[in-house]
Amino acid sequence: MVAAGGRRTTGARIVKTQRSTHHTRAARARREFWKRFGVWIFIVFFALIVAALITVVVDASTVFLAERQLQSVADGAAASAAQRADVGAIYQGAATDTLPLSPEAVSATVDEYVGAPARQPHECHGTEQVVAAQTDGRTVTVHLRCRVPLPFVN
């Protein structure tokens, strides 16, 4: 049984327990430190985690928006090029039930469409490249690529 003041009672004797003053001073200092700075340490730790999450979300959003804008430009270029018929093939009678497309006209139309300043995605900052604009005579395929500068991680 422990009595007040750190004394233990054993039978009829009362024995006073001794604690190291260094141990209690160190424990007291640790308790005081955590009372004083513990909350601030956790606040800084969680602020760093929140900042890292914000960085990832903003960078991922920037890449996603650039991809969507580039997809829109590629779709528009393909639709514009698909309307350019190969007039020579039509007059020669090579046109059957589909409109024949000329590879030269497709390439020129895609370059013209993508080169317009109003159609350049602002996330790409003018770095988009026509990787491929090809046709098989019936369909048009446009591949674009751009380098997206990230707001936080560059």
Side-chain angles (χ1 to χ4, degrees):
M1 171 184 283
V2 177
R7 288 180 263 161
R8 269 187 287 164
T9 59
T10 54
R13 297 186 334 194
I14 296 179
V15 178
K16 179 133 176 133
T17 57
Q18 291 288 331
R19 289 188 182 156
S20 166
T21 55
H22 173 65
H23 175 70
T24 56
R25 232 182 272 150
R28 198 175 307 128
R30 261 193 315 274
R31 277 194 308 271
E32 194 61 36
F33 174 81
W34 282 108
K35 272 186 186 177
R36 196 176 226 182
F37 300 112
V39 172
W40 288 107
I41 290 173
F42 285 118
I43 288 173
V44 169
F45 176 73
F46 286 118
L48 289 174
I49 289 175
V50 167
L53 288 174
I54 288 172
T55 300
V56 168
V57 167
V58 169
D59 287 345
S61 297
T62 301
V63 170
F64 175 75
L65 291 174
E67 188 267 335
R68 296 291 293 214
Q69 289 177 346
L70 211 56
Q71 180 66 44
S72 176
V73 171
D75 287 345
S80 177
Q83 295 174 3
R84 296 290 206 136
D86 187 0
V87 179
I90 293 173
Y91 286 131
Q92 291 176 358
T96 55
D97 55 337
T98 60
L99 193 61
L101 300 172
S102 163
E104 296 82 22
V106 165
S107 181
T109 303
V110 168
D111 287 339
E112 178 185 332
Y113 188 92
V114 171
R119 294 190 185 101
Q120 294 179 353
H122 73 278
E123 264 89 12
C124 294
H125 298 291
T127 63
E128 71 271 347
Q129 303 170 359
V130 177
V131 175
Q134 55 197 4
T135 182
D136 60 0
R138 296 171 22 141
T139 60
V140 177
T141 305
V142 177
H143 295 278
L144 298 177
R145 174 178 41 200
C146 80
R147 184 172 304 272
V148 179
L150 300 176
F152 291 117
V153 185
N154 251 352

